[in-house]
Amino acid sequence: MFDYLIVGAGFAGSVLAERLASDAGKKVLIVDQRAHIGGNAFDHYDDAGVLVHKYGPHIFHTNSREVFDYLSRFTEWRPYQHRVQAWVDGQLLPIPINLDTVNQLYGLRLTSAGLVKYFKRVAEHPAVVRTSEDVIVSKVGRELYEKFFRNYTRKQWDLDPSELDATVTARVPVRTNRDDRYFTDTYQAMPRRGYTRMFERMLSHPNIKVLLNASYREVQHIIPHDEVIYTGPIDEYFAYRFGRLPYRSLQFEFETLNTPLHQPVAVINYPNDNLYTRVTEFKHLTGQEHLKTTLVYEYPRATGDPYYPVQRPENTELYRKYQMLAAQTEGVHFVGRLATYRYYNMDQVVAQALTVYGKLTGQSRREALANPA
Ligand code: FAD
Ligand code: UDP
């Protein structure tokens, strides 16, 4: 008899399995329909021996010391500051848009103060900043919005930015200095030996059993258990009773080249060209030394594995219906990006899982973390 049946071995499920087993002494079975642990953060060595992320580039960044310290129990880190360039008008330019982006694009020599003035002149003033279009045009004006955001967003989501919540493009800041890092969080690092190794350590507790290639439906009636933690899509759990929640998918195409390094930075975005949105070269992220290099191309898709919740008002409304149902479903706890339909980064999912753990055991977050593995 298991105390908990956990569905999904990504960050949400693995953090809860680890805490429930090693802090609360519970017996846990964690199942995943995939052939591996780690969820979308899973990484592995490809045929050429290059460490790659199977589901696209995963860069760890957080401002939460608690989350960083917690994960540090299971991995050492390689400091890494992420940089991205965008291919726009025949040039590679830093994104997020910064002083160098504008100067290089237009052949100007503006100072930071000059750029502030420039943005002031070109910025639009929507009455309320409601959509992903509003958020960008209100900062950098329509021309830069069109060059860097409009088409990328249409390609990624098959929606115009005006049809998406402001929170989507607001993930990408705008800067008037020369800081060309993608993130400015306090903690930015990659698990030194990869994500999968980190998950293996989280789950290597005698109270945790792992069952792969098994879906919830297949095991729910044959494995005796007390409570359920569900980290898959919430609409699927309820058999799409109110209709399908839209999730955006991607197709990943990997390519190995016979050269040690191919791109100047880890990621190049292609807002206006090609059918893919971006190309990632993993060796920048991992620091691996190897004679070859592997890249991944991301092609947005309407169908396939659910990767991104689509943040717009009608979807939030539909999610709320499922959320109400979830709240009435005793003994089942919904956690993670798919089960709470939130565009969460890894650290946010870890924080959410730790909060849920605290609630399950009636402890504060600090108490819940007191007992190291
Ligand atoms: P998941 O990792 O999706 O895990 C859920 C698991 O549940 C899956 O393994 C699935 O197989 C399993 N499952 C679902 N339904 C069932 C079922 N019925 N039965 C059995 N198993 C089931 N975050 C960052 O912080 N930095 C990044 O750079 C970053 N890059 C990203 C790039 C891409 C392309 C994507 C898609 C996401 C990225 N993320 C990034 C977000 C990150 O992947 C998520 O925040 C995190 O993986 C979510 O963890 P989770 O446990 O909620 O979900
Ligand atoms: N975006 C864009 N152009 C870019 C980068 C991002 O238009 O060069 C928009 C796009 O809508 C994207 C969103 O901003 O989906 C969030 O970008 P982020 O890099 O955070 O996406 P993720 O890594 O989650 O795929």
Side-chain angles (χ1 to χ4, degrees):
M1 171 82 171
F2 290 98
D3 296 309
Y4 283 88
L5 171 60
I6 300 187
V7 182
F11 271 101
S14 299
V15 167
L16 275 153
E18 190 281 327
R19 286 290 76 199
L20 285 164
S22 59
D23 184 60
K26 301 290 183 191
K27 292 215 178 307
V28 174
L29 175 70
I30 184 164
V31 299
D32 203 299
Q33 61 199 9
R34 288 172 169 163
H36 58 72
I37 58 172
N40 287 340
F42 172 73
D43 55 12
H44 68 111
Y45 289 88
D46 68 10
D47 289 345
V50 179
L51 182 59
V52 300
H53 300 177
K54 183 167 182 182
Y55 306 97
H58 279 70
I59 297 103
F60 186 80
H61 56 102
T62 189
N63 284 317
S64 166
R65 175 161 184 188
E66 211 170 61
V67 166
F68 187 73
D69 284 351
Y70 171 69
L71 292 178
S72 302
R73 296 175 184 180
F74 314 103
T75 187
E76 289 170 13
W77 300 95
R78 167 182 191 262
Y80 169 72
Q81 304 269 351
H82 191 45
R83 286 185 170 77
V84 181
Q85 295 180 349
W87 177 251
V88 170
D89 290 355
Q91 299 189 64
L92 282 179
L93 301 166
I95 177 95
I97 291 173
N98 70 18
L99 180 59
D100 289 322
T101 313
V102 176
N103 279 339
Q104 277 178 48
L105 177 67
Y106 294 122
L108 299 171
R109 297 180 62 183
L110 296 176
T111 59
S112 283
L115 183 59
V116 171
K117 268 194 207 151
Y118 174 83
F119 283 160
K120 240 187 197 149
R121 188 161 59 75
V122 296
E124 296 183 7
H125 305 283
V128 254
V129 175
R130 194 173 44 80
T131 71
S132 270
E133 174 182 312
D134 298 337
V135 84
I136 303 298
V137 297
S138 66
K139 288 184 195 162
V140 301
R142 192 149 295 267
E143 189 166 300
L144 290 169
Y145 159 74
E146 302 260 350
K147 287 185 192 291
F148 288 87
F149 285 90
R150 181 149 195 246
N151 296 330
Y152 186 111
T153 301
R154 291 174 73 104
K155 188 160 40 168
Q156 169 77 1
W157 301 96
D158 197 26
L159 290 170
D160 191 78
S162 61
E163 299 172 290
L164 279 165
D165 288 357
T167 49
V168 177
T169 54
R171 289 167 59 87
V172 185
V174 171
R175 306 205 181 102
T176 52
N177 58 21
R178 302 187 62 196
D179 189 346
D180 65 346
R181 295 171 304 157
Y182 206 68
F183 308 113
T184 51
D185 302 52
T186 314
Y187 305 97
Q188 302 188 47
M190 299 291 290
R192 191 171 280 284
R193 301 181 69 187
Y195 288 98
T196 303
R197 180 62 72 97
M198 180 177 77
F199 281 98
E200 281 166 3
R201 289 184 59 185
M202 290 174 90
L203 297 178
S204 72
H205 188 283
N207 284 358
I208 303 177
K209 304 290 173 233
V210 180
L211 178 62
L212 298 175
N213 297 306
S215 75
Y216 177 54
R217 295 271 168 246
E218 286 173 294
V219 301
Q220 72 180 121
H221 299 302
I222 52 175
I223 299 212
H225 60 276
D226 220 0
E227 308 249 317
V228 173
I229 288 167
Y230 184 83
T231 76
I234 188 169
D235 56 340
E236 185 185 313
Y237 181 89
F238 291 109
Y240 310 106
R241 191 176 306 182
F242 303 125
R244 278 180 187 265
L245 274 169
Y247 295 91
R248 195 74 177 143
S249 193
L250 293 169
Q251 186 181 326
F252 300 103
E253 296 278 344
F254 291 83
E255 178 185 30
T256 300
L257 301 176
N258 230 331
T259 175
L261 216 53
H262 180 68
Q263 295 189 163
V265 289
V267 174
I268 299 186
N269 287 355
Y270 292 89
N272 310 310
D273 302 273
N274 306 317
L275 292 174
Y276 43 85
T277 48
R278 60 185 177 190
V279 181
T280 298
E281 182 169 27
F282 293 102
K283 284 172 69 185
H284 288 279
L285 313 179
T286 60
Q288 186 183 3
E289 292 193 16
H290 197 292
L291 289 172
K292 296 185 183 182
T293 190
T294 300
L295 314 171
V296 69
Y297 297 70
E298 293 175 46
Y299 294 85
R301 293 282 183 262
T303 54
D305 276 5
Y307 293 133
Y308 293 88
V310 184
Q311 309 265 260
R312 54 195 310 223
E314 64 229 65
N315 299 348
T316 306
E317 210 175 291
L318 181 55
Y319 165 67
R320 293 282 173 233
K321 287 188 172 177
Y322 283 111
Q323 192 186 21
M324 298 238 298
L325 211 53
Q328 293 156 14
T329 308
E330 272 189 35
V332 186
H333 311 277
F334 294 81
V335 195
R337 176 151 144 149
L338 302 171
T340 61
Y341 204 65
R342 289 196 171 86
Y343 191 171
Y344 269 173
N345 295 322
M346 296 180 279
D347 64 316
Q348 295 170 299
V349 171
V350 172
Q352 188 192 43
L354 291 173
T355 301
V356 169
Y357 175 69
K359 281 190 188 142
L360 288 176
T361 52
Q363 302 180 84
S364 70
R365 192 81 101 54
R366 175 167 303 180
E367 286 166 344
L369 284 168
N371 186 10

